[in-house]
Amino acid sequence: SIADGDTLLIHDASASALKKMTRANFVSGIGGTNTPAFFVNKTDSNQSISNTTDTVITFNNEVFDTANNFSSNVFTPTTAGKYFLFAQVGFESWGDQALGVVYIRNTNSNTLLSEYTIRGSSTHSFEIATEVIATANGSSDAFRVEVYQDTGGSKNVFSSARGTYFMGYKIIE
């Protein structure tokens, strides 16, 4: 591998000449990192969701959180910019013409940013997912996952890592 102080030769097309540049200077001028970034999931018990009630999903397990921006089931990025956010919620089976909604909300403005709705019957467990590219101001904007279901009674959200999780990262601009 190349050390930061090593020299690279690059061709400057506008001057039609070769130029030397250290690896550190070359790398600092390109790319970036997709941080802050986080991934959380449910690994504790299933969460009961009351009928016809907006409910915040609780996440008990941080797989990673690069800037410690995830707390109390809310992601509050401290770096302004655009973020890709993705949420998936695993539901238990339900009956005919049931309605299930998963959405991502900006808690600062109480704005619904993304939602995915499913209506129908299922005799097996299933997942609902939604994603959004959201702009954060780096101070007060914060994001959480909520669900709504209308099955006629309470239903469970699964706690398996495969079923219910929330993740996001800053987009390099």
Side-chain angles (χ1 to χ4, degrees), residues 21-82:
M21 179 180 276
T22 65
R23 178 190 178 277
N25 287 341
F26 179 75
V27 171
S28 70
I30 60 169
T33 59
N34 291 106
T35 57
F38 73 98
F39 184 95
V40 295
N41 60 14
K42 290 184 74 59
T43 59
D44 59 356
S45 61
N46 294 341
Q47 181 178 350
S48 181
I49 308 299
S50 298
N51 191 50
T52 65
T53 303
D54 292 332
T55 305
V56 175
I57 296 297
T58 59
F59 298 96
N60 69 303
N61 184 47
E62 280 188 10
V63 177
F64 64 86
D65 183 3
T66 63
N68 295 317
N69 290 154
F70 191 87
S71 178
S72 301
N73 306 306
V74 176
F75 175 61
T76 308
T78 53
T79 303
K82 292 185 178 76

